[in-house]
Amino acid sequence: MVWMATQKLAIRGKRRRIWGGAFLCWVFLMLVTPKISHSPKHHLYADMRNFLGVPNTLNVITNFPFLVVGVLGFVLCCQGGLFNISLPGEVWGWALFYAGIAGLAFGSAYYHLKPDDSRVTWDTLPMMIAYSSLFSSFIVERVGERIGLSSLFALLFIAFLSTAYDRTYNDIRLYMMFQLIPCIAIPGMCFVFPPKYTHSRYWLWAGGVYLLSKFEAVADMKIYHANHYIISGHSLEHLCLVMVPVLLSIMLMHRNIKCQRIGAIKECS
């Protein structure tokens, strides 16, 4: 009993140090980096063609796959038959992830119909909800259910806080940092914490596809020129980014429990 109490105190202390360190890193980055405001250039894309009366047609319709994957993934999470999800905390995280993906289809399409500062929130907020839920699901799988669920609520709070900060102060630094955290943390944690399930390599593949999509967004005009003005880099970013939930869905369908983590055993005790 004494050993168990000591271990619980040690785990709580570790959590506080992790969150404290993350908070200090955030404060440091906010102090040393200059303010990044919205610019009209942020809303100018290489391909702004109008087909059949739909402004920025390809940037709008390439969001439709998000709706299909998001709705199917959410239904399968709630049914609990096809996806191998063994913990309640994972159900919450994955369901919110797919809900965020479905919401991204509407939010991004709405934004691209008339890109401006007033609409960009509807594009970024569903994406941040999806990031929060995905990262918390990864923490539940690799670290533990309790810390994963607490991370879910904390990350969702930060997502809404970042959006409110952006709208109030016209500063996108919090949003940019929020995007950067999972990109660094998930690959790093893959090598530190042992996987509970098989097929964990899909996490790395999904991370690689995500980075590729960001490259396509940065090279928007260059890709548009390279393929003779057929499709822009930003539209390709949408199509590439939807492969992230597709790959993770394949992982959920095929994975099996690999080992029982010691941390999970302690939590259950």
Side-chain angles (χ1 to χ4, degrees):
M1 293 295 291
V2 175
W3 179 82
M4 289 176 60
T6 305
Q7 291 299 312
K8 287 182 180 180
L9 290 174
I11 292 172
R12 289 178 183 175
K14 186 177 181 180
R15 292 175 187 170
R16 290 171 183 170
R17 288 194 295 271
I18 291 172
W19 285 111
F23 178 75
L24 290 176
C25 288
W26 171 75
V27 172
F28 175 76
L29 289 172
M30 291 297 290
L31 290 174
V32 300
T33 56
K35 177 181 177 180
I36 304 176
S37 302
H38 286 285
S39 168
K41 294 181 180 179
H42 294 164
H43 308 301
L44 295 176
Y45 298 95
D47 183 7
M48 303 188 77
R49 292 173 295 178
N50 184 326
F51 296 113
L52 302 175
V54 179
N56 308 309
T57 309
L58 289 184
N59 286 341
V60 172
I61 65 174
T62 49
N63 287 289
F64 179 71
F66 289 113
L67 178 62
V68 176
V69 176
V71 170
L72 287 176
F74 182 81
V75 171
L76 292 174
C77 278
C78 294
Q79 287 182 345
L82 191 60
F83 286 171
N84 192 344
I85 300 175
S86 60
L87 297 173
E90 289 182 304
V91 176
W92 279 95
W94 285 110
L96 277 174
F97 168 69
Y98 285 109
I101 294 297
L104 178 61
F106 293 103
S108 183
Y110 175 72
Y111 163 71
H112 282 292
L113 285 170
K114 186 182 177 182
D116 57 25
D117 290 350
S118 63
R119 293 192 176 207
V120 71
T121 300
W122 300 105
D123 182 31
T124 57
L125 184 58
M127 194 182 305
M128 294 172 74
I129 293 173
Y131 288 154
S132 304
S133 308
L134 181 63
F135 192 29
S136 69
S137 298
F138 181 80
I139 294 174
V140 169
E141 176 187 330
R142 295 296 178 112
V143 183
E145 186 175 12
R146 290 181 183 177
I147 190 171
L149 281 175
S150 62
S151 298
L152 173 61
F153 295 118
L155 289 168
L156 287 174
F157 173 76
I158 295 172
F160 285 99
L161 177 65
S162 302
T163 303
Y165 180 83
D166 177 21
R167 295 289 295 172
T168 304
Y169 298 103
N170 190 24
D171 187 356
I172 63 175
R173 283 180 298 168
L174 274 179
Y175 165 68
M176 294 177 66
M177 292 177 193
F178 195 88
Q179 279 193 322
L180 185 64
I181 290 172
C183 296
I184 297 175
I186 289 180
M189 292 173 68
C190 279
F191 295 100
V192 174
F193 295 97
K196 177 183 177 181
Y197 299 99
T198 60
H199 296 78
S200 59
R201 62 185 178 275
Y202 279 87
W203 284 106
L204 297 176
W205 290 352
V209 170
Y210 176 80
L211 292 176
L212 176 60
S213 72
K214 295 294 111 177
F215 169 78
E216 291 171 336
V218 172
D220 186 20
M221 182 63 75
K222 291 181 179 179
I223 293 175
Y224 194 43
H225 283 296
N227 60 54
H228 304 289
Y229 308 101
I230 297 173
I231 187 169
S232 68
H234 193 78
S235 296
L236 285 175
E237 180 203 10
H238 291 167
L239 298 177
C240 187
L241 195 59
V242 79
M243 291 305 299
V244 172
V246 169
L247 285 170
L248 294 174
S249 299
I250 295 172
M251 178 190 73
L252 291 175
M253 286 189 288
H254 291 92
R255 71 182 187 175
N256 295 297
I257 294 179
K258 185 176 182 180
C259 63
Q260 186 72 19
R261 296 186 312 273
I262 295 176
I265 295 173
K266 290 176 182 177
E267 285 189 3
C268 292
S269 302

